[in-house]
Amino acid sequence: VYNPWEIGNPIYDSESALLDGLRRHDRHACTDLLHRFMPRLYRLAFQITGSADEAEDVLQESFIQACRRIDCFAGRGGLGSWLYRIVLNTALMRLRRRTPVTVSLTAVRDPDTLPWVAQGRDDAGDPGARVLSYELREVLEQAILALPDSLRAAVVLRDVEGLSTGAAAKALGISEAAVKARLHRARLALRARLTPYLIEAPMLLSGDSV
Amino acid sequence: MNAQETGAGCTHLLALLGAVMTIESDEADVGLPAALLEHLATCPECRASEGRLTALLTRYQAESPQLPDDLADRLVAQVCGRFPPQDDR
C-alpha cells in the first residue's frame, strides 16, 4: 500500500477515469490530478503572480479547492479548463490582496526565483541552443508582469498557454469578444514596451545566435 | 533621427497606447481592434513588430518551465494530506 506522495505516475488511464476517481474520493486521485496538470498550472500561476513562492501557494490552494469541490464540476469544457479557472481566480485574488507594485522594465529580479533561469543559464554557452536568451526572456516576463491584471490574464491564457479564445473566455468568465479586445490592448502594450527588443528580434529569435 | 533609430518605434503605436491606457472597460473598447488592424495594414514597421512579438511569444510558449526542486513532492504532501478521506499515516 502506497501513500499518496509515493505515487509518481498517473494511475488513471483517462481524464474521465480520473474524474470518477476524484468523485469517489479514491485515495490517489488527487495525486494523479496534481501530477497531470501541475506543470501547466504552475506556469500560469507564475505568470500571473510573478513570484515562484506565490505560484506554489496558489497551486496548493487551488488543488485543495479542486479536490474538495469536485462535485461542483459539471464536466463541461474539461478538467483542465476548470482547473485553469480555479488557478486563475486564486492567483488574481492574491494579487488584489497584495499592495500594488510598480514593475519597471529595468528592474532586476532575483534570478534564482525564476523557474526558467537554470535552463537559460545551461544553454547560454551553447550557440546552437534554440531557446530564448536569458535577457529576452527576462524582459518579456517583466513586460507581461507590468500589464494590468485583466490584460495580463488574457495574454497569458491565449499567447503563453495557447488556449483558444473560447477556452480563455470560459476561464476568465467573460465573452470571447472581450477576450479579443483585451488581447489587442495587451499586445499593443507589450509591443510598445518591447520595441527596442523587437527591432533586434531577427537576431535574438534566429535560434542560431542565442 | 527617426523613431526607430531611437528605439521608440512607430509614433502612431505610442499614440494608440495612450488611448488604450484610458480604457476602463471592455465595452469601451469597441473601436480599438478596428483602429489597430487598419494601422497594421498600412504600417510596415508595426506589421513587422507584431510578427516578431508573435514569434517571441510562440518561442516562449514552446519552452517548458523548469519547475522548482521537489515542487511535486511538496504539493502532493500538502494537498493530499488534507484531501478527504484523510490518508492513513
Side-chain angles (χ1 to χ4, degrees):
Chain A
V1 176
Y2 293 97
N3 285 315
W5 48 90
E6 294 169 327
I7 302 293
N9 298 308
I11 56 172
Y12 298 90
D13 54 12
S14 70
E15 198 172 297
S16 61
L18 169 62
L19 187 55
D20 288 342
L22 286 166
R23 286 182 169 146
R24 288 194 309 269
H25 297 301
D26 281 354
R27 293 181 74 252
H28 301 307
C30 193
T31 311
D32 192 324
L33 181 78
L34 205 147
H35 280 295
R36 228 174 255 248
F37 293 100
M38 182 185 62
R40 287 170 58 202
L41 295 175
Y42 178 80
R43 180 160 74 172
L44 173 65
F46 178 81
Q47 290 290 349
I48 298 295
T49 63
S51 154
D53 287 342
E54 283 204 80
E56 186 169 336
D57 289 345
V58 165
L59 247 61
Q60 182 185 342
E61 200 176 324
S62 299
F63 276 110
I64 288 171
Q65 201 182 128
C67 291
R68 287 186 174 162
R69 295 176 51 205
I70 195 66
D71 291 332
C72 302
F73 174 57
R76 293 187 300 271
L79 206 45
S81 298
W82 185 65
L83 288 169
Y84 257 79
R85 186 163 187 168
I86 291 175
V87 169
L88 190 62
N89 287 338
T90 305
L92 289 173
M93 274 200 301
R94 288 182 78 92
L95 287 185
R96 287 185 201 116
R97 289 198 298 262
R98 197 199 271 177
T99 307
V101 176
T102 302
V103 180
S104 162
L105 273 180
T106 57
V108 177
R109 286 190 294 174
D110 175 4
D112 291 332
T113 67
L114 300 173
W116 288 270
V117 75
Q119 182 181 337
R121 279 177 181 161
D122 289 345
D123 292 329
D126 178 7
R130 300 187 67 81
V131 296
L132 294 175
S133 71
Y134 173 75
E135 180 196 4
L136 193 51
R137 181 193 308 282
E138 173 79 356
V139 169
L140 176 61
E141 287 176 350
Q142 293 285 0
I144 291 172
L145 279 175
L147 292 170
D149 294 349
S150 61
L151 303 190
R152 183 164 67 252
V155 82
V156 166
L157 290 174
R158 282 289 283 117
D159 285 342
V160 178
E161 295 304 318
L163 265 62
S164 67
T165 303
K170 278 181 189 164
L172 290 166
I174 59 176
S175 69
E176 291 191 20
V179 170
K180 287 178 186 171
R182 289 185 190 184
L183 197 59
H184 275 297
R185 279 148 59 197
R187 289 181 65 108
L188 182 61
L190 284 180
R191 268 205 298 130
R193 283 180 171 273
L194 295 170
T195 292
Y197 295 90
L198 294 177
I199 289 169
E200 295 172 19
M203 178 187 73
L204 293 166
L205 288 170
S206 69
D208 295 329
S209 58
V210 177
Chain B
M1 187 178 287
N2 64 30
Q4 180 160 335
E5 285 167 338
T6 64
C10 171
T11 50
H12 191 69
L13 167 71
L14 299 178
L16 279 175
L17 185 66
V20 163
M21 290 306 143
T22 64
I23 293 172
E24 292 181 354
S25 70
D26 297 317
E27 291 71 27
D29 193 15
V30 288
L32 182 69
L36 272 174
L37 291 173
E38 189 181 330
H39 177 66
L40 284 173
T42 58
C43 177
E45 186 185 338
C46 277
R47 207 163 48 240
S49 76
E50 180 71 13
R52 288 169 192 157
L53 176 63
T54 299
L56 176 61
L57 288 165
T58 301
R59 180 73 66 85
Y60 185 73
Q61 184 185 337
E63 293 178 12
S64 299
Q66 180 162 323
L67 300 176
D69 289 342
D70 303 326
L71 175 65
D73 291 342
R74 280 200 304 279
L75 281 175
V76 168
Q78 289 159 351
V79 174
C80 299
R82 295 163 64 175
F83 176 55
Q86 294 294 313
D87 63 70
D88 55 8
R89 275 184 299 176

